[in-house]
Amino acid sequence: METVATPWIWAGFFAFVLVATALLFAAWLWQHLSGTAGPEVAREKTLEYLTGYLIEKSPPVDNIFVS
């Protein structure tokens, strides 16, 4: 039986999957770069990736409050 909450549950699940995938990629990126280029480069590049991800996710959240 489908209720009004069902689409919101699926949307929350997919949002969680997307964020979890981005964080897993960031962990892999840090691990890979730490072994090949050193921990300082790994930290810098991973932080750049996460900052870019956060900036790209911010505009859709901003549009929720625009009527």
Side-chain angles (χ1 to χ4, degrees), residues 6-64:
T6 303
W8 289 105
I9 292 171
W10 280 107
F13 172 73
F14 287 124
F16 172 77
V17 167
L18 289 175
V19 171
T21 303
L23 292 176
L24 284 172
F25 177 75
W28 175 84
L29 180 66
W30 183 85
Q31 181 71 26
H32 176 72
L33 289 176
S34 182
T36 57
E40 184 62 33
V41 173
R43 186 188 67 78
E44 180 182 346
K45 295 301 179 184
T46 303
L47 189 57
E48 287 176 6
Y49 166 74
L50 289 173
T51 303
Y53 182 78
L54 182 64
I55 289 171
E56 286 297 320
K57 284 296 175 190
S58 297
V61 173
D62 183 36
N63 291 337
I64 292 173

